[in-house]
Amino acid sequence: MALGRKSWLFCGSDRGGQRAAAMYSLIVSAKMNGVDPQAWLADVLSRIASHPAYRLDELLPWNWIRRASAIPAQAA
């Protein structure tokens, strides 16, 4: 928390600060649950548009299961 204090002074607005705090909270939650935050965030951002709203809890770090790779390369 102390490292971010000066950076957070320039969030732009109170609303920007609240968004930054929410993202920081999600990233730390991912770390605490043994999930790579970068992989989790990339996967969630790629699927959230087509994911049903009533199942958003599946995308939270403590419930997240990484999707399998699209199609494995086939030997020629």
Side-chain angles (χ1 to χ4, degrees):
M1 292 295 258
L3 293 176
R5 276 190 213 151
K6 287 186 179 181
S7 298
W8 296 336
L9 289 173
F10 305 103
C11 286
S13 65
D14 287 343
R15 199 166 159 188
Q18 290 171 349
R19 286 183 185 147
M23 288 304 298
Y24 184 73
S25 176
L26 287 170
I27 289 169
V28 171
S29 293
K31 288 180 182 179
M32 291 176 61
N33 285 284
V35 173
D36 175 26
Q38 186 174 3
W40 168 75
L41 191 57
D43 184 55
V44 168
L45 290 176
S46 71
R47 338 178 358 187
I48 198 161
S50 62
H51 201 77
Y54 67 91
R55 291 179 31 207
L56 282 180
D57 62 318
E58 295 172 358
L59 299 179
L60 294 172
W62 48 90
N63 294 332
W64 178 70
I65 299 172
R66 178 182 259 175
R67 272 193 301 192
S69 297
I71 298 174
Q74 296 178 356

